């Protein structure tokens, strides 16, 4: 793994992207023993408007705790794509919810399109787990932690009554990316 | 057995560190970006027989911890710059009455309400000069989640050992970010409690200098009875205007920290041995600086980092030495010029002290520090 890998989750406030970032950081730092720092946007923008959560993962201690140039970025909405899908490393990757991000930011990075909200609603059964669908997709896309470490962190985070729902969301998100990459 | 680990927010680590140190009373008033400290303790303290009180404002919160401390409790309050401004009079009271207490300041910008959700490091001189009069000051500036835990424990130790308020200052970035923390086992970190009197209640004097610069402190509610006042006082705690007693008392209070500076001071140096330029930075800014040092070392630039963990008392001796070794000490902080004044004062012109400040709510990034270092001739 590269010394420093930066991931940004962005979307609308309330979509659970901060939770997705925390789960990824837990997967890396607790389940895989790597170093991880998670931070997020605070303030008025955190509710309703564009919101972001950043995770830095490294094999070595992490000094600067904020993103510099991100290796991978998720954008769930057009507004977040416009605001946060910048500063992606050349050769990096942008994952978008293809139902909501119609105007795809241009740049020297790969764009992967998945209808994340629709997948959560129609294939998993609940829109509320869209963040876990996105997390599964992001892990499949970046390989920054193992599939198992990610799932373990998801299951450690969610209430017991929702274990199956979240496991399904994670797996569907993961497989969607594999399909998209193979296509 | 493997240690317990977790991904924890800085403010949560502060609360956990306080519990480790034996904190059993929190009085506070919520304020961004410190509120999570109170939130965690409001859940955890009652479970352990401790008390959590949300007071009507920051002033009352400070008063509550002073009162609780005098009954023998280990006490904490947490706030941000605006709250610390309100607490100043009572911080002075805790100084003169020599009441152990810990004050957390999760720094945002200012003055006044400023930008509540943005980071700042503009309260660092306030920590020293905020309340009036001459008084000793201890202020700690952790830079990571793990260090917030350990420095909170150390703040309690210093407060109890030297019988005085101790402030822990960290910026919003460190307070809100999440990192992996390994919880120390009980007994792994030292936990110090105040010295209690051994003389009989009739013979007890709360400020008796014959016991040294830090006289033992009895608990209100025990068999010991004593007087507490904000006036200059004699050994028995009652007000005095006798010149020699007033002078002795103030000098003793300053001496208890000055005399113990080697024990209180804590710094980290990174690649300073051969450094021609040294960056002075603390809190989140020191993390940008460390990143910048690593980048510049790849280019062969001889640059290092001095990171105070104890900010007050100021590491005068070491900074003076580094000022003779280096061409420049670059000071980077999230304000418009505060600790650079202290670095200038102690280096006495032996090196340049370029300043890099930022107050727009964004962190100082490594690129800015690299640019500043490269400007040194």
């Amino acid at each position: 793994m590269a010394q420093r890998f930066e991931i940004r989750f962005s979307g609308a406030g309330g979509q659970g992207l901060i939770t997705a970032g925390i789960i990824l950081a837990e997967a890396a730092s607790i389940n895989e023993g790597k170093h991880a720092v998670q931070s997020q946007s605070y303030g008025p923008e955190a509710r309703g408007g564009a919101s972001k959560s950043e995770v830095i993962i490294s094999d070595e201690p992490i000094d600067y705790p904020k993103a510099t140039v991100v290796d991978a970025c998720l954008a769930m909405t057009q507004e977040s794509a416009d605001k946060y899908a910048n500063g992606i490393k050349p050769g990096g990757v942008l994952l978008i919810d293809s139902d909501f991000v119609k105007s795809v930011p241009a740049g020297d990075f790969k764009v992967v399109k998945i209808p994340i909200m629709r997948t959560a609603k129609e294939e998993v059964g609940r829109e509320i787990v869209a963040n876990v669908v996105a997390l599964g997709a992001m892990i499949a896309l970046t390989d920054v932690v193992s599939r198992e470490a990610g799932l373990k962190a998801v299951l450690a985070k969610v209430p017991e009554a929702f274990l199956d729902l979240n496991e399904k969301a994670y797996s569907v998100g993961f497989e969607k990316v594999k399909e998209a990459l193979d296509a | 057995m493997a240690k317990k680990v977790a991904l924890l927010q800085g403010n949560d680590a502060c609360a956990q560190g306080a519990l480790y140190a034996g904190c059993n009373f929190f009085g506070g008033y919520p304020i961004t970006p410190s509120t999570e400290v109170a939130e965690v303790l409001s859940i955890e303290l009652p479970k352990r027989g401790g008390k959590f009180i949300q007071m009507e404002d920051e002033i009352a919160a400070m008063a509550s911890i002073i009162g609780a401390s005098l009954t023998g409790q280990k006490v904490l309050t947490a706030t941000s710059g605006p709250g610390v401004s309100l607490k100043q009079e009572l911080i002075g009271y805790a100084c003169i009455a020599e009441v152990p207490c810990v004050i957390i300041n999760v720094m945002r910008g200012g003055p006044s309400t400023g930008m509540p959700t943005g980071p700042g490091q503009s309260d660092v001189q306030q920590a020293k000069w905020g309340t009036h009069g001459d008084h000793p000051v201890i202020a700690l500036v952790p830079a990571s989640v793990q260090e917030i835990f350990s420095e909170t424990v150390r703040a309690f130790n210093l407060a109890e050992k030297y019988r005085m308020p101790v402030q822990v200052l960290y910026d919003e970035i460190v307070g809100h970010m999440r990192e992996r923390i390994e919880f120390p086992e009980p007994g792994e970190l030292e936990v110090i409690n105040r010295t209690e009197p051994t003389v009989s209640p009739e013979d007890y004097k709360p400020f008796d200098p014959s016991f040294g610069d830090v006289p033992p402190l009895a608990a209100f509610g025990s068999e010991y009875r004593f007087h507490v006042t904000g006036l200059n006082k004699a050994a028995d705690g009652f007000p005095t205007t006798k010149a020699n007693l007033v002078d002795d008392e103030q000098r003793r209070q300053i001496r208890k920290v000055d005399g113990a500076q080697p024990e209180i001071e804590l710094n980290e140096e990174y690649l300073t041995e051969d450094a021609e330029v040294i960056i002075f930075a603390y809190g989140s800014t020191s993390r940008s600086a460390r990143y910048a040092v690593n980048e510049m070392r790849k280019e062969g630039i001889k640059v290092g980092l001095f990171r105070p963990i104890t900010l007050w008392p100021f590491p005068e001796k070491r900074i003076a030495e580094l000022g003779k070794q280096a061409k420049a000490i670059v000071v980077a902080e999230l304000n418009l010029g505060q600790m650079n004044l202290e670095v200038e004062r102690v280096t006495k012109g032996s090196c340049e002290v370029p300043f890099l400040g930022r107050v727009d709510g964004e962190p100082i990034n490594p690129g800015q520090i690299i640019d500043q270092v490269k400007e040194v001739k």
Side-chain angles (χ1 to χ4, degrees), chain B residues 11 30 41 44 48 59 74 78 157 198 206 245 247 347 367:
Chain B
N11 283 335
L41 289 173
E44 295 300 325
R48 301 160 194 237
I59 302 172
K74 295 181 84 168
N157 289 345
T198 50
L245 294 182
D247 184 81
T347 53

Side-chain angles (χ1 to χ4, degrees), chain A residues 29 38 40 62-64, chain B residues 9 176 178 180 287-288 291:
Chain A
S29 67
Q38 181 272 341
Q40 64 215 44
I62 294 161
D63 31 44
Y64 187 59
Chain B
Q9 195 180 57
H176 274 158
R178 288 181 176 83
R180 182 174 190 266
R287 300 174 67 122
S288 307
Y291 186 107

Side-chain angles (χ1 to χ4, degrees), chain B residues 4 8 54 71 81 98 101 127 178 180 186 191 207 234-235 251 306 310-311 318 346 364 373:
Chain B
K4 193 183 157 206
L8 217 60
Q54 182 175 318
T71 69
E98 298 179 66
C101 53
R178 288 181 176 83
R180 182 174 190 266
V191 171
F207 304 97
R251 289 181 192 278
F306 181 91
T310 302
L311 193 65
R318 185 61 187 144
V346 304
I364 293 178
V373 169

Side-chain angles (χ1 to χ4, degrees), chain A residues 34 69 104 147 154 164 166 169 179:
Chain A
K34 292 173 178 160
V69 281
V104 181
R147 181 175 185 165
V154 169
D164 291 345
N166 280 281
E179 287 165 22

